[in-house]
Amino acid sequence: MSVINAIPSPVRLTAIASPGQPEPTPELEQLYRGFEREMLVPLWTEIGDLMPMHPKSKASAHVWRWDRLVQLANEAGRIVPVGRGGERRAIALANPALGGRPFATPTLWAAIQYLMPGEDAPEHRHTQHAFRFIVEGEGVWTVVNGDSVRMSRGDFLPQGGWNWHAHHNASIEPMAWIDGLDIPFSSYTESQFFEVGRDKLDPQEYIKPARSRSERLWAHPGLRPVSQQADQAATPLLAYRWEDTDRALSEQLALEDEGYSATLSPGHAAVRYTNPMNGRDVLPTIRCEMHRIRSGAHTRTKREVGSSVIQVFDGQGSVTVGEHQWEVKRGDMFVIPSWQPFTAICAADHASLDLFRFSDTPIVEAVHAYREQFDTP
């Protein structure tokens, strides 16, 4: 004879006297015990959590200081090997409201990765989409499907999922950068795959070209190779160089000075990294942008559906996320949870405040759930 519902039920229901709830009676309690046995949950007991009036993120606003991150990463460089097993010397930001999991937000992973002189991070691939952003240093090359890509300050290096990649430090100094991935989203959807590659690259891959093959083919504004017609969901361009980003931001502010409408708001320039094949986001699940706020200027206070992580690339200023306000400088990182208001102000004694931002907006837009709101000044 089979046993039905032998597993203890995790459902626990309590009849309470409150507006919108049925009156507690013995019959209601009996009904709730039946729900528990059959592992059922009535909507009327959960609607406040499942259908709130506006998004209530599980994440909290938080800031990580770059000086401390680099110090701890350097200690890890002396103690923790980078080979198989640990796979990467990547140290993830753990949002304090997410139970100690290595997630910056419910959908985004952010980590500082550290490579000692002469070290190799072995080859692997994964279905999670990823990027690298370099706030300082140089001397490391990432090798993606055999293409060696230089990493230098201000460079943004996106990489679509399921591409082989390894890193090698050809300099005499350690180097740190940030990794961004959609690991939490991939984990939640139970869609992740991972595969180990070679322990060592081929000798011809330990080269140090100034420009990768992907740049030679794709880094020509407005020009698409006729030989490459099939669209890819992730960008084929593996490096977006700082000199191009810097020039684009500077020109927006110069045009503003000349009386043209080129900025998001007075003194606030911004660019989005895009896929040269189709003009969409560089990665299917992650939006990446660079923002520049000129001296003394501020952004408009904005709320939006979806979460973001920001790293200060240069300058100093103050940022406000919800009820939190911090003074920030180069390298500092902070989280903006969904629907929390955000404002940034550049310090008057600095020429600009440059912010690298990545978010889960493509996911939110794909399900037609994106919404934004600007507070009245």
Side-chain angles (χ1 to χ4, degrees):
M1 182 175 66
S2 62
V3 179
I4 300 175
N5 287 348
I7 300 172
S9 174
V11 177
R12 293 290 182 269
L13 302 171
T14 303
I16 57 174
S18 67
Q21 295 296 306
E23 181 181 352
T25 63
E27 290 81 4
L28 182 63
E29 290 287 359
Q30 185 177 0
L31 176 64
Y32 281 0
R33 301 297 81 76
F35 285 165
E36 290 174 354
R37 286 191 297 272
E38 299 303 322
M39 299 191 190
L40 301 172
V41 179
L43 178 59
W44 63 80
T45 65
E46 301 291 326
I47 192 166
D49 291 331
L50 297 178
M51 296 182 178
M53 301 299 290
H54 57 77
K56 295 181 179 178
S57 180
K58 291 182 174 64
S60 63
H62 191 73
V63 66
W64 291 264
R65 301 300 183 180
W66 183 247
D67 292 347
R68 187 61 177 146
L69 291 177
V70 172
Q71 178 187 0
L72 290 169
N74 181 265
E75 292 178 22
R78 294 186 296 102
I79 299 169
V80 182
V82 77
R84 292 291 183 216
E87 198 68 25
R88 294 285 190 268
R89 194 183 292 111
I91 305 160
L93 310 186
N95 191 289
L98 297 179
R101 302 207 71 187
F103 298 164
T105 82
T107 53
L108 298 172
W109 161 287
I112 179 173
Q113 187 168 164
Y114 201 78
L115 206 60
M116 299 293 282
E119 280 189 330
D120 293 351
E123 186 181 61
H124 65 210
R125 63 178 178 176
H126 41 72
T127 48
Q128 294 91 340
H129 302 291
F131 70 80
R132 286 162 282 284
F133 179 73
I134 296 84
V135 73
E136 59 190 26
E138 59 182 316
V140 170
W141 268 256
T142 184
V143 182
V144 182
N145 296 327
D147 191 6
S148 294
V149 188
R150 172 175 53 88
M151 297 168 62
S152 299
R153 172 166 161 76
D155 293 345
F156 168 68
L157 287 80
Q159 179 193 292
W162 212 236
N163 287 286
W164 293 111
H165 56 285
H167 316 308
H168 65 92
N169 188 345
S171 74
I172 59 173
E173 297 291 336
M175 182 170 166
W177 63 90
I178 68 163
D179 292 333
L181 294 92
D182 58 3
I183 289 175
F185 174 73
S186 174
S187 176
Y188 178 77
T189 55
E190 300 178 346
S191 59
Q192 62 271 56
F193 290 86
F194 177 88
E195 187 174 352
V196 170
R198 299 166 295 172
D199 289 335
K200 288 288 184 180
L201 298 173
D202 294 335
Q204 64 268 25
E205 292 175 302
Y206 285 97
I207 57 175
K208 297 179 286 183
R211 300 177 75 232
S212 63
R213 294 197 302 267
S214 79
E215 293 169 85
R216 293 167 61 192
L217 187 60
W218 286 102
H220 308 287
L223 301 174
R224 175 171 177 165
V226 178
S227 62
Q228 310 293 314
Q229 289 301 307
D231 274 358
Q232 296 176 196
T235 177
L237 179 58
L238 298 178
Y240 294 67
R241 297 300 177 189
W242 171 243
E243 54 264 30
D244 300 319
T245 306
D246 181 40
R247 183 168 59 251
L249 293 167
S250 296
E251 291 290 6
Q252 285 187 21
L253 292 173
L255 286 167
E256 179 185 80
D257 290 339
E258 295 165 20
Y260 294 96
S261 178
T263 54
L264 284 174
S265 62
H268 178 195
V271 293
R272 181 174 301 162
Y273 301 97
T274 60
N275 183 341
M277 286 185 149
N278 49 39
R280 294 194 287 269
D281 287 293
V282 285
L283 298 169
T285 54
I286 303 175
R287 175 164 294 172
C288 299
E289 298 173 339
M290 182 67 76
H291 294 248
R292 173 168 292 168
I293 307 147
R294 72 160 85 229
S295 180
H298 61 84
T299 66
R300 297 174 66 190
T301 301
K302 178 181 179 180
R303 303 170 189 260
E304 63 181 335
V305 175
S307 56
S308 303
V309 179
I310 291 182
Q311 182 171 43
V312 179
F313 176 65
D314 210 355
Q316 291 188 25
S318 65
V319 297
T320 302
V321 183
E323 299 176 351
H324 302 270
Q325 184 173 12
W326 304 294
E327 299 297 316
V328 293
K329 61 181 180 179
R330 179 190 285 193
D332 291 347
M333 301 177 70
F334 58 93
V335 162
I336 307 173
S338 183
W339 209 245
Q340 290 202 13
F342 167 67
T343 310
I345 302 172
C346 178
D349 57 348
H350 280 73
S352 64
L353 176 64
D354 289 354
L355 304 174
F356 172 77
R357 172 183 181 268
F358 67 102
S359 70
D360 56 14
T361 309
I363 299 171
V364 180
E365 288 182 341
V367 296
H368 303 280
Y370 183 76
R371 184 179 296 188
E372 64 182 11
Q373 174 182 295
F374 291 93
D375 289 357
T376 302

